[in-house]
Amino acid sequence: MGSFTEFEYPLMFSICDVVLINKIDALPAFDDFSLERAVENIHMRNPEALVIPISAKTGEGIDAWAAWLHDAVAAWKSGA
């Protein structure tokens, strides 16, 4: 599972602007998943993608996601 981006959805990771990795509060329960390796795999496909680990449970990363979304909507509205 730790290398999901090597095999699944390669186009999605190649063209996206941001990737959210959710449920990071549960990472200790998954010893076969490496957040660092997932980020490396995403950046191999798309070096420009912003990767934001988030947790709805703890709120970690939510501010970064909201800020990115706010800026992306503002850019879209301005035609940038």
Side-chain angles (χ1 to χ4, degrees):
M1 175 171 255
S3 60
F4 71 99
T5 58
E6 291 176 349
F7 304 107
E8 295 180 30
Y9 318 111
L11 179 61
M12 177 178 66
F13 289 104
S14 297
I15 65 172
C16 68
D17 294 322
V18 65
V19 176
L20 302 179
I21 299 180
N22 194 17
K23 299 195 182 289
I24 60 168
D25 52 283
L27 286 178
F30 298 97
D31 57 337
D32 63 339
F33 181 82
S34 167
L35 179 60
E36 293 79 18
R37 184 70 180 135
V39 172
E40 287 174 12
N41 288 337
I42 292 164
H43 284 153
M44 281 192 301
R45 297 237 182 250
N46 183 349
E48 301 299 317
L50 175 62
V51 180
I52 305 175
I54 64 171
S55 169
K57 182 177 181 179
T58 68
E60 184 177 348
I62 300 298
D63 289 342
W65 163 235
W68 182 90
L69 190 58
H70 177 270
D71 293 347
V73 169
W76 177 74
K77 284 183 176 181
S78 72

